[in-house]
Amino acid sequence: MARDDQRQEQERGENEMEAISALDLLREDHRKVQELFEEFEQADKRSRQRIAEQALEDLEIHTKLEEGLIYPAIRQEIDDEEIMDMALEEHHVATLLIKELRKMEPKDERYQAKFKVLAESVRHHIEEEESQILPQAEELDLDFEDLGQKAMAKKEQLTGKAGGGTKKKKAQNGRPRKRKAA
């Protein structure tokens, strides 16, 4: 009986540790992608492709979480349609740039410039979101812990940790990676 109590206590602790506010999850994603942008700017040509691919994948997942779960919940309660519409338009621009970058190689003439434009656009979006949308959202009567759990589950699915598998999808749908001989 004591073992069952210990196991239940441990499971409760693990669930509490896993609980993350959807807003904190967004901020965490923002920091991660900003770090990747900085790494890209400092990286040598050989490292840029890996960094860019990671940033593009993270941005695609982040956008799906915001547009599919988080923004709709906030939009229902927030009294500022214009700011939500602007955020979605910023996503649209980022998505177009990501699609263009996915068709290019890092060695292409304008790849680095296009990636930097994406970085600037996303940095602007993050600044507006964190200074305008998230503070307003924090005042709403929404269960951001529950929303955070749903977002984490979706994120795991999209990254392949829960059996979905973006790696497999990329191999089927993306262009094959070119490898240089050593």
mmCIF file of all heavy atoms in Angstrom, residues 7-37:
data_model
loop_
_atom_site.group_PDB
_atom_site.id
_atom_site.type_symbol
_atom_site.label_atom_id
_atom_site.label_comp_id
_atom_site.label_asym_id
_atom_site.label_seq_id
_atom_site.Cartn_x
_atom_site.Cartn_y
_atom_site.Cartn_z
ATOM 1 N N ARG A 7 4.150 5.834 -5.495
ATOM 2 C CA ARG A 7 4.066 5.912 -6.949
ATOM 3 C C ARG A 7 3.094 7.021 -7.366
ATOM 4 O O ARG A 7 3.379 7.793 -8.267
ATOM 5 C CB ARG A 7 3.619 4.569 -7.530
ATOM 6 C CG ARG A 7 3.686 4.509 -9.032
ATOM 7 C CD ARG A 7 3.444 3.126 -9.534
ATOM 8 N NE ARG A 7 2.549 2.432 -8.608
ATOM 9 C CZ ARG A 7 1.499 1.714 -8.970
ATOM 10 N NH1 ARG A 7 1.221 1.542 -10.216
ATOM 11 N NH2 ARG A 7 0.724 1.120 -8.087
ATOM 12 N N GLN A 8 1.952 7.118 -6.699
ATOM 13 C CA GLN A 8 0.996 8.173 -7.015
ATOM 14 C C GLN A 8 1.583 9.549 -6.732
ATOM 15 O O GLN A 8 1.383 10.484 -7.498
ATOM 16 C CB GLN A 8 -0.298 7.984 -6.216
ATOM 17 C CG GLN A 8 -1.124 6.817 -6.704
ATOM 18 C CD GLN A 8 -2.341 6.557 -5.826
ATOM 19 O OE1 GLN A 8 -2.461 7.103 -4.743
ATOM 20 N NE2 GLN A 8 -3.237 5.709 -6.316
ATOM 21 N N GLU A 9 2.301 9.664 -5.636
ATOM 22 C CA GLU A 9 2.958 10.936 -5.285
ATOM 23 C C GLU A 9 3.974 11.315 -6.364
ATOM 24 O O GLU A 9 4.058 12.459 -6.795
ATOM 25 C CB GLU A 9 3.648 10.804 -3.922
ATOM 26 C CG GLU A 9 4.417 12.017 -3.502
ATOM 27 C CD GLU A 9 3.638 12.843 -2.501
ATOM 28 O OE1 GLU A 9 2.611 12.376 -1.990
ATOM 29 O OE2 GLU A 9 4.072 13.969 -2.266
ATOM 30 N N GLN A 10 4.758 10.324 -6.808
ATOM 31 C CA GLN A 10 5.761 10.576 -7.846
ATOM 32 C C GLN A 10 5.087 11.006 -9.148
ATOM 33 O O GLN A 10 5.527 11.943 -9.803
ATOM 34 C CB GLN A 10 6.607 9.327 -8.083
ATOM 35 C CG GLN A 10 7.707 9.530 -9.103
ATOM 36 C CD GLN A 10 8.527 8.257 -9.305
ATOM 37 O OE1 GLN A 10 8.264 7.219 -8.713
ATOM 38 N NE2 GLN A 10 9.521 8.349 -10.153
ATOM 39 N N GLU A 11 4.002 10.325 -9.535
ATOM 40 C CA GLU A 11 3.285 10.677 -10.758
ATOM 41 C C GLU A 11 2.713 12.081 -10.672
ATOM 42 O O GLU A 11 2.760 12.837 -11.639
ATOM 43 C CB GLU A 11 2.171 9.660 -11.036
ATOM 44 C CG GLU A 11 2.691 8.325 -11.504
ATOM 45 C CD GLU A 11 1.597 7.273 -11.626
ATOM 46 O OE1 GLU A 11 0.404 7.596 -11.386
ATOM 47 O OE2 GLU A 11 1.935 6.124 -11.955
ATOM 48 N N ARG A 12 2.170 12.459 -9.499
ATOM 49 C CA ARG A 12 1.649 13.821 -9.325
ATOM 50 C C ARG A 12 2.765 14.834 -9.487
ATOM 51 O O ARG A 12 2.589 15.854 -10.131
ATOM 52 C CB ARG A 12 0.994 13.972 -7.948
ATOM 53 C CG ARG A 12 -0.463 13.637 -7.925
ATOM 54 C CD ARG A 12 -1.132 14.169 -6.671
ATOM 55 N NE ARG A 12 -0.524 13.701 -5.445
ATOM 56 C CZ ARG A 12 -0.825 12.572 -4.805
ATOM 57 N NH1 ARG A 12 -1.747 11.784 -5.299
ATOM 58 N NH2 ARG A 12 -0.227 12.235 -3.690
ATOM 59 N N GLY A 13 3.922 14.546 -8.907
ATOM 60 C CA GLY A 13 5.061 15.449 -9.019
ATOM 61 C C GLY A 13 5.519 15.611 -10.459
ATOM 62 O O GLY A 13 5.829 16.701 -10.908
ATOM 63 N N GLU A 14 5.557 14.489 -11.197
ATOM 64 C CA GLU A 14 5.960 14.546 -12.600
ATOM 65 C C GLU A 14 4.958 15.360 -13.407
ATOM 66 O O GLU A 14 5.338 16.154 -14.259
ATOM 67 C CB GLU A 14 6.075 13.130 -13.178
ATOM 68 C CG GLU A 14 7.279 12.373 -12.660
ATOM 69 C CD GLU A 14 7.286 10.910 -13.106
ATOM 70 O OE1 GLU A 14 6.370 10.503 -13.848
ATOM 71 O OE2 GLU A 14 8.206 10.198 -12.682
ATOM 72 N N ASN A 15 3.660 15.178 -13.139
ATOM 73 C CA ASN A 15 2.642 15.939 -13.860
ATOM 74 C C ASN A 15 2.744 17.419 -13.558
ATOM 75 O O ASN A 15 2.559 18.250 -14.430
ATOM 76 C CB ASN A 15 1.237 15.428 -13.524
ATOM 77 C CG ASN A 15 0.956 14.076 -14.143
ATOM 78 O OD1 ASN A 15 1.607 13.685 -15.100
ATOM 79 N ND2 ASN A 15 0.007 13.361 -13.581
ATOM 80 N N GLU A 16 3.029 17.763 -12.299
ATOM 81 C CA GLU A 16 3.170 19.166 -11.939
ATOM 82 C C GLU A 16 4.383 19.775 -12.625
ATOM 83 O O GLU A 16 4.356 20.917 -13.048
ATOM 84 C CB GLU A 16 3.290 19.321 -10.420
ATOM 85 C CG GLU A 16 1.971 19.080 -9.706
ATOM 86 C CD GLU A 16 2.107 19.074 -8.202
ATOM 87 O OE1 GLU A 16 3.181 19.464 -7.687
ATOM 88 O OE2 GLU A 16 1.145 18.671 -7.527
ATOM 89 N N MET A 17 5.479 19.004 -12.728
ATOM 90 C CA MET A 17 6.676 19.525 -13.391
ATOM 91 C C MET A 17 6.412 19.728 -14.876
ATOM 92 O O MET A 17 6.954 20.627 -15.478
ATOM 93 C CB MET A 17 7.862 18.590 -13.183
ATOM 94 C CG MET A 17 8.390 18.641 -11.770
ATOM 95 S SD MET A 17 9.945 17.758 -11.461
ATOM 96 C CE MET A 17 10.105 16.599 -12.740
ATOM 97 N N GLU A 18 5.592 18.856 -15.465
ATOM 98 C CA GLU A 18 5.307 18.962 -16.884
ATOM 99 C C GLU A 18 4.384 20.132 -17.186
ATOM 100 O O GLU A 18 4.346 20.619 -18.298
ATOM 101 C CB GLU A 18 4.679 17.665 -17.389
ATOM 102 C CG GLU A 18 5.644 16.506 -17.430
ATOM 103 C CD GLU A 18 4.975 15.208 -17.841
ATOM 104 O OE1 GLU A 18 3.823 15.251 -18.325
ATOM 105 O OE2 GLU A 18 5.598 14.159 -17.672
ATOM 106 N N ALA A 19 3.601 20.552 -16.190
ATOM 107 C CA ALA A 19 2.660 21.648 -16.397
ATOM 108 C C ALA A 19 3.427 22.926 -16.714
ATOM 109 O O ALA A 19 4.320 23.331 -15.991
ATOM 110 C CB ALA A 19 1.780 21.847 -15.170
ATOM 111 N N ILE A 20 3.076 23.501 -17.826
ATOM 112 C CA ILE A 20 3.692 24.759 -18.234
ATOM 113 C C ILE A 20 2.600 25.631 -18.830
ATOM 114 O O ILE A 20 1.743 25.137 -19.566
ATOM 115 C CB ILE A 20 4.846 24.542 -19.242
ATOM 116 C CG1 ILE A 20 5.514 25.872 -19.583
ATOM 117 C CG2 ILE A 20 4.379 23.822 -20.480
ATOM 118 C CD1 ILE A 20 6.784 25.741 -20.392
ATOM 119 N N SER A 21 2.628 26.854 -18.493
ATOM 120 C CA SER A 21 1.675 27.794 -19.051
ATOM 121 C C SER A 21 1.929 27.916 -20.556
ATOM 122 O O SER A 21 3.081 27.935 -21.004
ATOM 123 C CB SER A 21 1.840 29.157 -18.378
ATOM 124 O OG SER A 21 1.237 30.167 -19.145
ATOM 125 N N ALA A 22 0.865 28.002 -21.317
ATOM 126 C CA ALA A 22 0.998 28.184 -22.760
ATOM 127 C C ALA A 22 1.799 29.444 -23.066
ATOM 128 O O ALA A 22 2.597 29.470 -24.014
ATOM 129 C CB ALA A 22 -0.375 28.264 -23.410
ATOM 130 N N LEU A 23 1.628 30.474 -22.252
ATOM 131 C CA LEU A 23 2.346 31.730 -22.481
ATOM 132 C C LEU A 23 3.841 31.555 -22.199
ATOM 133 O O LEU A 23 4.681 32.096 -22.922
ATOM 134 C CB LEU A 23 1.746 32.847 -21.637
ATOM 135 C CG LEU A 23 0.247 33.101 -21.842
ATOM 136 C CD1 LEU A 23 -0.230 34.254 -20.979
ATOM 137 C CD2 LEU A 23 -0.080 33.335 -23.302
ATOM 138 N N ASP A 24 4.171 30.790 -21.171
ATOM 139 C CA ASP A 24 5.579 30.508 -20.881
ATOM 140 C C ASP A 24 6.202 29.658 -21.986
ATOM 141 O O ASP A 24 7.361 29.840 -22.348
ATOM 142 C CB ASP A 24 5.732 29.803 -19.526
ATOM 143 C CG ASP A 24 5.426 30.728 -18.364
ATOM 144 O OD1 ASP A 24 5.480 31.974 -18.541
ATOM 145 O OD2 ASP A 24 5.130 30.209 -17.261
ATOM 146 N N LEU A 25 5.406 28.740 -22.523
ATOM 147 C CA LEU A 25 5.874 27.914 -23.634
ATOM 148 C C LEU A 25 6.208 28.791 -24.840
ATOM 149 O O LEU A 25 7.246 28.611 -25.487
ATOM 150 C CB LEU A 25 4.823 26.873 -24.002
ATOM 151 C CG LEU A 25 5.157 25.946 -25.165
ATOM 152 C CD1 LEU A 25 6.358 25.081 -24.847
ATOM 153 C CD2 LEU A 25 3.955 25.085 -25.505
ATOM 154 N N LEU A 26 5.353 29.766 -25.126
ATOM 155 C CA LEU A 26 5.618 30.683 -26.240
ATOM 156 C C LEU A 26 6.910 31.454 -26.003
ATOM 157 O O LEU A 26 7.750 31.566 -26.902
ATOM 158 C CB LEU A 26 4.467 31.662 -26.431
ATOM 159 C CG LEU A 26 3.124 31.101 -26.881
ATOM 160 C CD1 LEU A 26 2.118 32.222 -27.074
ATOM 161 C CD2 LEU A 26 3.262 30.271 -28.141
ATOM 162 N N ARG A 27 7.051 31.973 -24.791
ATOM 163 C CA ARG A 27 8.260 32.746 -24.472
ATOM 164 C C ARG A 27 9.516 31.876 -24.588
ATOM 165 O O ARG A 27 10.545 32.336 -25.083
ATOM 166 C CB ARG A 27 8.148 33.339 -23.069
ATOM 167 C CG ARG A 27 7.159 34.475 -22.968
ATOM 168 C CD ARG A 27 7.110 35.053 -21.556
ATOM 169 N NE ARG A 27 6.126 36.096 -21.443
ATOM 170 C CZ ARG A 27 4.946 35.953 -20.834
ATOM 171 N NH1 ARG A 27 4.629 34.821 -20.251
ATOM 172 N NH2 ARG A 27 4.107 36.973 -20.783
ATOM 173 N N GLU A 28 9.409 30.632 -24.149
ATOM 174 C CA GLU A 28 10.536 29.703 -24.254
ATOM 175 C C GLU A 28 10.904 29.463 -25.720
ATOM 176 O O GLU A 28 12.080 29.482 -26.093
ATOM 177 C CB GLU A 28 10.133 28.392 -23.575
ATOM 178 C CG GLU A 28 11.219 27.360 -23.436
ATOM 179 C CD GLU A 28 10.683 26.136 -22.720
ATOM 180 O OE1 GLU A 28 10.311 26.246 -21.534
ATOM 181 O OE2 GLU A 28 10.644 25.059 -23.357
ATOM 182 N N ASP A 29 9.896 29.246 -26.555
ATOM 183 C CA ASP A 29 10.130 29.067 -27.992
ATOM 184 C C ASP A 29 10.767 30.314 -28.597
ATOM 185 O O ASP A 29 11.666 30.225 -29.438
ATOM 186 C CB ASP A 29 8.819 28.776 -28.726
ATOM 187 C CG ASP A 29 8.326 27.360 -28.547
ATOM 188 O OD1 ASP A 29 9.026 26.539 -27.916
ATOM 189 O OD2 ASP A 29 7.213 27.070 -29.038
ATOM 190 N N HIS A 30 10.295 31.485 -28.174
ATOM 191 C CA HIS A 30 10.857 32.748 -28.673
ATOM 192 C C HIS A 30 12.347 32.824 -28.374
ATOM 193 O O HIS A 30 13.147 33.178 -29.247
ATOM 194 C CB HIS A 30 10.153 33.950 -28.047
ATOM 195 C CG HIS A 30 8.733 34.112 -28.454
ATOM 196 N ND1 HIS A 30 7.873 34.953 -27.785
ATOM 197 C CD2 HIS A 30 8.003 33.549 -29.465
ATOM 198 C CE1 HIS A 30 6.678 34.901 -28.366
ATOM 199 N NE2 HIS A 30 6.736 34.058 -29.383
ATOM 200 N N ARG A 31 12.723 32.525 -27.143
ATOM 201 C CA ARG A 31 14.141 32.597 -26.751
ATOM 202 C C ARG A 31 14.980 31.628 -27.585
ATOM 203 O O ARG A 31 16.061 31.967 -28.044
ATOM 204 C CB ARG A 31 14.341 32.266 -25.267
ATOM 205 C CG ARG A 31 13.718 33.211 -24.286
ATOM 206 C CD ARG A 31 14.212 34.658 -24.426
ATOM 207 N NE ARG A 31 13.170 35.591 -24.029
ATOM 208 C CZ ARG A 31 12.277 36.170 -24.830
ATOM 209 N NH1 ARG A 31 12.271 35.937 -26.104
ATOM 210 N NH2 ARG A 31 11.387 37.012 -24.372
ATOM 211 N N LYS A 32 14.449 30.431 -27.773
ATOM 212 C CA LYS A 32 15.187 29.413 -28.525
ATOM 213 C C LYS A 32 15.446 29.859 -29.964
ATOM 214 O O LYS A 32 16.565 29.774 -30.463
ATOM 215 C CB LYS A 32 14.431 28.092 -28.509
ATOM 216 C CG LYS A 32 15.172 26.969 -29.186
ATOM 217 C CD LYS A 32 14.408 25.661 -29.105
ATOM 218 C CE LYS A 32 15.136 24.573 -29.861
ATOM 219 N NZ LYS A 32 14.349 23.344 -29.960
ATOM 220 N N VAL A 33 14.411 30.369 -30.629
ATOM 221 C CA VAL A 33 14.583 30.763 -32.030
ATOM 222 C C VAL A 33 15.467 32.009 -32.135
ATOM 223 O O VAL A 33 16.263 32.139 -33.072
ATOM 224 C CB VAL A 33 13.231 30.912 -32.751
ATOM 225 C CG1 VAL A 33 12.545 32.212 -32.431
ATOM 226 C CG2 VAL A 33 13.392 30.755 -34.241
ATOM 227 N N GLN A 34 15.382 32.912 -31.168
ATOM 228 C CA GLN A 34 16.263 34.084 -31.184
ATOM 229 C C GLN A 34 17.725 33.655 -31.035
ATOM 230 O O GLN A 34 18.607 34.223 -31.680
ATOM 231 C CB GLN A 34 15.863 35.071 -30.091
ATOM 232 C CG GLN A 34 14.593 35.814 -30.435
ATOM 233 C CD GLN A 34 14.138 36.763 -29.337
ATOM 234 O OE1 GLN A 34 14.226 36.471 -28.151
ATOM 235 N NE2 GLN A 34 13.642 37.920 -29.744
ATOM 236 N N GLU A 35 17.970 32.655 -30.204
ATOM 237 C CA GLU A 35 19.334 32.133 -30.065
ATOM 238 C C GLU A 35 19.817 31.526 -31.382
ATOM 239 O O GLU A 35 20.976 31.693 -31.760
ATOM 240 C CB GLU A 35 19.399 31.097 -28.947
ATOM 241 C CG GLU A 35 19.287 31.695 -27.560
ATOM 242 C CD GLU A 35 19.174 30.645 -26.461
ATOM 243 O OE1 GLU A 35 19.351 29.438 -26.755
ATOM 244 O OE2 GLU A 35 18.885 31.045 -25.315
ATOM 245 N N LEU A 36 18.921 30.825 -32.073
ATOM 246 C CA LEU A 36 19.295 30.246 -33.371
ATOM 247 C C LEU A 36 19.602 31.336 -34.393
ATOM 248 O O LEU A 36 20.544 31.195 -35.184
ATOM 249 C CB LEU A 36 18.180 29.326 -33.879
ATOM 250 C CG LEU A 36 18.018 28.014 -33.126
ATOM 251 C CD1 LEU A 36 16.726 27.312 -33.532
ATOM 252 C CD2 LEU A 36 19.219 27.103 -33.356
ATOM 253 N N PHE A 37 18.845 32.419 -34.381
ATOM 254 C CA PHE A 37 19.132 33.533 -35.293
ATOM 255 C C PHE A 37 20.522 34.098 -35.015
ATOM 256 O O PHE A 37 21.286 34.373 -35.943
ATOM 257 C CB PHE A 37 18.089 34.646 -35.153
ATOM 258 C CG PHE A 37 16.718 34.290 -35.659
ATOM 259 C CD1 PHE A 37 15.596 34.876 -35.085
ATOM 260 C CD2 PHE A 37 16.526 33.399 -36.701
ATOM 261 C CE1 PHE A 37 14.316 34.575 -35.548
ATOM 262 C CE2 PHE A 37 15.262 33.087 -37.168
ATOM 263 C CZ PHE A 37 14.148 33.676 -36.585
#
